[in-house]
Amino acid sequence: MEPLSTEKKEALRAAAAEHGLYSPSFERDACGMGFVAHLRGEKSHAIIEDALTVLDHMSHRGACGCDPETGDGAGILTQIPHELYQALCAERGFALPEPGQYAVGMLFLPRDAEKRKQAKALIERIVGEEKLPLLGFRDVKVHPDACGWLAREGLPEFEQVFVGAGGDAGQEAFERKLYLTRRRIENAANVAGLTADAGFYICSWSSRTVVYKGLLVPEQFPRFFADLADPRMKSGLALVHSRFSTNTFPSWARAHPYRYIVHNGEINTLRGNVNWMHAREMQFKTDKFGAEIKEVLPVLSQSGSDSGIFDNALELLLQTGRSLPHSVMMMIPEAWEKHDAMSESKRAFY
């Protein structure tokens, strides 16, 4: 990374000076996030390119430490690029069914060959026990030279696993089965010592979306993941994030997006939220999972950031049958206690 010239520094100081209605006192340290979507849902590579441009313009919202080329994290969530994955998987000797009939798991795996073999065997075993066809794995091509030396010290191996639906129960039921399967894998991995700190982490595991993320600064991000430059990488939406770590140490797994959200603040009620969730877990009951609901416990990952824990809770609410607006209103209620004009039914909801 080139040091800033004197002229560039002066230009930045001039841009940050108080003028018009702008005052530097309005600025706050926080993550950056952006969303690009086609109004009619049409998929194209242009959506990916536009989202990466948004991400590149949010470098000032991220942070770095002693290594200026190692960021707090950057990432993108997109719809599954079926055309790209279909071709890449065919090159590796296995075929993909139609979109919606398979899921993609984006994996961080340990660098140690034996631990990596152990993690993949664990995935294969539990996917088999859940009676889902495991279609195959593929290596995700990355360029380690694009990231900083500090990021390279903790660099995981990157692979994707492809899992078939194994029936025609519908995509919602498939997503619930995937959630249960992933939670079983994560719980078994923790018991085996294959934690995020040990290099094993599932970034996304869905028949709809996929997450690419890492301990990068925004301008490095498109160069790091080769898939992002492929014109067959198409989506109708893209969610991007540049992280400014506040209450947890930066790591590959703590970069955003998570499986459903990105977040640019700090949750100051976190400890109370975590305690209440733990207290309620033994009372969980849902006809969506039946007795298998115990397999997803504990819901919250204690190694995650406040945003990661929020994502864990939101995912539970969605997978047990609530809509996204309903779930978000439960998790981020408006100020209702002294709201005199609020209806009694809405007050009762909160």
Side-chain angles (χ1 to χ4, degrees), residues 204-254:
S204 59
W205 181 272
S206 173
S207 63
R208 293 177 171 138
T209 58
V210 63
V211 170
Y212 291 76
K213 67 179 186 177
L215 206 54
L216 304 156
V217 293
E219 60 262 31
Q220 297 167 340
F221 190 73
R223 293 184 284 120
F224 185 80
F225 288 105
D227 286 357
L228 300 178
D230 194 303
R232 296 170 295 181
M233 178 88 183
K234 297 175 182 178
S235 179
L237 61 86
L239 187 66
V240 291
H241 190 275
S242 174
R243 187 174 186 230
F244 190 108
S245 178
T246 50
N247 66 2
T248 47
F249 197 73
S251 73
W252 282 90
R254 291 188 188 123

Side-chain angles (χ1 to χ4, degrees), residues 43 46 54 71 75-76 89 96 120 134 148-149 152 173-174 189-190 207 287 315 337 347:
K43 296 182 179 181
V54 172
I76 186 170
C89 290
L96 294 180
K120 291 174 73 171
L134 194 146
W149 63 265
R152 286 196 296 272
F174 185 29
N190 284 334
S207 63
D287 58 3
E315 182 176 41
E337 290 178 284
R347 182 185 299 276

Side-chain angles (χ1 to χ4, degrees), residues 116-245:
R116 189 162 65 253
K117 183 178 177 182
Q118 181 186 2
K120 291 174 73 171
L122 190 153
I123 291 170
E124 291 177 5
R125 175 176 65 81
I126 294 177
V127 166
E129 288 173 359
E130 291 295 332
K131 297 181 172 49
L132 294 172
L134 194 146
L135 304 174
F137 289 87
R138 72 167 278 251
D139 296 331
V140 177
K141 186 178 179 182
V142 298
H143 299 286
D145 291 345
C147 63
W149 63 265
L150 192 57
R152 286 196 296 272
E153 285 191 355
L155 191 74
E157 294 287 335
F158 302 84
E159 291 194 34
Q160 288 176 331
V161 60
F162 294 82
V163 177
D168 56 0
Q171 200 168 11
E172 293 294 339
F174 185 29
E175 284 291 315
R176 284 195 296 274
K177 175 65 85 171
L178 291 167
Y179 174 56
L180 177 66
T181 305
R182 197 199 79 234
R183 291 300 297 126
R184 286 194 60 200
I185 291 168
E186 290 168 337
N187 285 334
N190 284 334
V191 170
L194 294 167
T195 62
D197 289 338
F200 178 66
Y201 178 76
I202 302 174
C203 302
S204 59
W205 181 272
S206 173
S207 63
R208 293 177 171 138
T209 58
V210 63
V211 170
Y212 291 76
K213 67 179 186 177
L215 206 54
L216 304 156
V217 293
E219 60 262 31
Q220 297 167 340
F221 190 73
R223 293 184 284 120
F224 185 80
F225 288 105
D227 286 357
L228 300 178
D230 194 303
R232 296 170 295 181
M233 178 88 183
K234 297 175 182 178
S235 179
L237 61 86
L239 187 66
V240 291
H241 190 275
S242 174
R243 187 174 186 230
F244 190 108
S245 178

Side-chain angles (χ1 to χ4, degrees), residues 80-91:
I80 289 176
H82 176 68
E83 182 184 352
L84 174 63
Y85 290 167
Q86 187 178 45
L88 293 175
C89 290
E91 291 173 8

Side-chain angles (χ1 to χ4, degrees), residues 63-83:
C64 56
C66 58
D67 173 15
E69 294 186 339
T70 295
D72 279 4
I76 186 170
L77 177 149
T78 76
Q79 292 172 302
I80 289 176
H82 176 68
E83 182 184 352

